[in-house]
Amino acid sequence: DTSRCAMAQVAFLRKRWAEARAHLEAPFWSNAEGDFAPWLQRREVDVAEAFALWRRGRLEAASLLLVAACEEMPQFGIGRYEFAGNTDVLYYRWRLAAHAGQSLVADTLKAHILRQMPRAGLADAAYAWRLARETGDVSAAAREAELRQWSAHARVDRDKYMPLREAVIRAGGAEGPSAWSRLRDDTLWTHRARFEMEVLAPHSHR
């Protein structure tokens, strides 16, 4: 399992999506206790390829891959770490639907995301706040206050242990999209960070 994760990581960084998936889709016998790293890696393969398709204008194919990223992955055991509701992926589905002029889909995704109140220590909470802020939703101020209160009292190196959450919060503040540069060379979030800076930032809702 460790070797397969390593080979999947190399394929992921080289944008060989099918190869990365092949390494991660067989049962992971050593992962019964729920190490979340391979699950996040498998999930991010779909997200990263969706972004690659989005860049090329293949919006329907990109949308289908973002849906796939939210599906269950039983090979990683039932105890794996879960984002509260795949809110980060749902956010990108919303951006894609809005970009494609699919207003009904975009409105449905927005309503679904804003019904969620994920724990403030999760990346999900940062993405829910991001959507609320970008659409002028009345919950934006309260969500931001919860995020910052949690950060002020958390006794953890947030940049190390929750880099995605921190990037979203910083990008929504004074740093703007340049906050994503911190993750530009990250082994897991590199494709996401580059997409944020190169594609989404020039067309920000802010």
Side-chain angles (χ1 to χ4, degrees):
D1 288 355
T2 302
S3 296
R4 285 167 52 202
C5 281
M7 290 186 289
Q9 182 68 62
V10 171
F12 173 72
L13 293 174
R14 293 179 176 175
K15 302 182 182 181
R16 300 202 299 252
W17 317 119
E19 181 182 337
R21 285 192 191 89
H23 288 305
L24 295 168
E25 289 187 342
F28 268 64
W29 305 113
S30 68
N31 201 59
E33 297 302 317
D35 174 19
F36 63 87
W39 170 70
L40 276 180
Q41 188 178 44
R42 173 62 185 85
R43 181 173 175 269
E44 201 63 12
V45 170
D46 284 345
V47 173
E49 185 177 11
F51 289 159
L53 292 168
W54 189 336
R55 285 176 184 268
R56 300 202 297 271
R58 296 182 56 190
L59 303 185
E60 183 63 29
S63 179
L64 290 174
L65 272 175
L66 290 175
V67 172
C70 296
E71 294 175 354
E72 293 183 1
M73 301 178 189
Q75 70 268 36
F76 301 123
I78 61 172
R80 68 185 184 279
Y81 173 87
E82 293 282 9
F83 281 36
N86 289 303
T87 309
D88 61 320
V89 181
L90 294 175
Y91 169 84
Y92 293 117
R93 287 179 61 192
W94 169 74
R95 286 291 297 259
L96 179 56
H99 175 71
Q102 299 173 342
S103 57
L104 180 59
V105 175
D107 288 346
T108 301
L109 287 165
K110 174 187 172 183
H112 176 69
I113 293 170
L114 293 179
R115 280 198 302 269
Q116 301 182 44
M117 293 299 294
R119 291 184 292 111
L122 296 176
D124 293 272
Y127 273 96
W129 165 66
R130 179 181 185 179
L131 174 62
R133 177 178 57 83
E134 291 177 354
T135 59
D137 187 77
V138 295
S139 69
R143 290 177 188 273
E144 181 176 9
E146 289 181 4
L147 286 169
R148 300 200 182 282
Q149 182 179 26
W150 189 94
S151 297
H153 294 91
R155 297 181 178 180
V156 64
D157 183 346
R158 299 192 306 279
D159 284 326
K160 178 178 180 181
Y161 293 107
M162 45 194 67
L164 186 59
R165 176 187 185 274
E166 295 307 297
V168 174
I169 293 172
R170 286 194 171 104
E175 287 188 43
S178 64
W180 288 99
S181 63
R182 299 167 185 260
L183 300 183
R184 192 177 181 88
D185 297 313
D186 187 273
T187 55
L188 180 62
W189 306 118
T190 178
H191 300 303
R192 189 181 296 218
R194 291 168 186 268
F195 186 77
E196 285 278 355
M197 297 177 69
E198 297 166 7
V199 177
L200 293 190
H203 303 283
S204 174
H205 285 249
R206 293 185 64 200

